Amino acid sequence: MPEVVAYIGLGSNLENPQMQVESAIDELAGLPETALRSRSSLYRSAPMGPQDQPDFVNAVACLETTLPPQALLQGLQAIEQRHGRVRAQHWGPRTLDLDILLYGQYMIDTEQLKIPHPGIAQRNFVLYPLAEIDSRLDIPGMGKVQELLAQRSAAGLTRLEQTPGAAQ
Ligand code: ROI
């Protein structure tokens, strides 16, 4: 497999969400055949979907990997499991959610994998951190991140300050 640049969306709204997301980024960096190229800041975001749940912490990580998409997905699911993810309520709270947003310029549409992630254009908590990493990024079939962002308000979204003492 040639090396591919993949973008991963991270989200958590249970059990110290900032810590869940920070440690998941470290775990992404530890996946086989994979290196962490860059990452966004953390963002606090109002829940999309049912409103009777805590705010989320969201971020995006950019990986270089030679894992095929299916193997990458399995790696993400293993990390979710380690964070105690249980799939209870549809669009309900979760300790950790990891999504493959982009896998190079590939378009994949299977039962298990939809890449680019179909929700990107609607989610300011994905677009803003993506743009922080690369605002000129092209999302196959959707357009440039910068243009998608211009159509999404930042309502409910706050970029979080660096955690004191966090590694830079
Ligand atoms: N809402 C926000 N703000 N962030 C998320 O990561 C997120 N993830 C979800 C649902 C429940 C749809 N809402 C979200 O899965």
Side-chain angles (χ1 to χ4, degrees):
M1 204 64 197
E3 191 159 82
V4 167
V5 176
Y7 287 82
I8 309 300
L10 302 98
S12 168
N13 72 342
L14 290 178
E15 297 178 47
N16 194 344
Q18 292 202 27
M19 185 271 287
Q20 299 287 347
V21 171
E22 286 293 350
S23 68
I25 291 172
D26 290 342
E27 290 170 74
L28 290 173
L31 286 173
E33 300 181 42
T34 300
L36 180 68
R37 178 194 265 203
S38 57
R39 53 158 293 179
S40 74
S41 313
L42 301 182
Y43 289 77
R44 180 174 307 289
S45 65
M48 175 184 175
Q51 296 298 296
D52 59 339
Q53 58 179 323
D55 282 353
F56 278 78
V57 170
N58 285 107
V60 169
C62 176
L63 308 179
E64 288 169 8
T65 188
T66 54
L67 290 176
Q70 191 61 45
L72 179 59
L73 178 65
Q74 282 165 9
L76 302 189
Q77 288 171 344
I79 296 172
E80 287 178 344
Q81 295 299 325
R82 283 205 293 278
H83 286 249
R85 161 104 189 243
V86 277
R87 285 164 194 269
Q89 182 192 339
H90 180 63
W91 278 25
R94 59 264 330 267
T95 44
L96 183 65
D97 196 13
L98 299 176
D99 290 316
I100 304 177
L101 302 171
L102 291 169
Y103 185 85
Q105 289 290 299
Y106 287 76
M107 297 181 82
I108 301 170
D109 189 353
T110 65
E111 192 65 41
Q112 273 198 314
L113 263 183
K114 306 221 183 292
I115 300 174
H117 189 284
I120 293 177
Q122 285 75 44
R123 298 182 175 187
N124 63 6
F125 57 84
V126 172
L127 290 171
Y128 280 78
L130 259 184
E132 197 189 322
I133 297 175
D134 182 1
S135 64
R136 291 178 304 178
L137 195 63
D138 181 53
I139 306 185
M142 294 190 199
K144 298 246 184 278
V145 164
Q146 199 55 261
E147 291 160 12
L148 298 171
L149 189 83
Q151 299 163 35
R152 276 296 127 207
S153 95
L157 194 67
T158 316
R159 191 154 77 93
L160 296 172
E161 300 300 323
Q162 295 286 351
T163 319
Q168 297 296 302

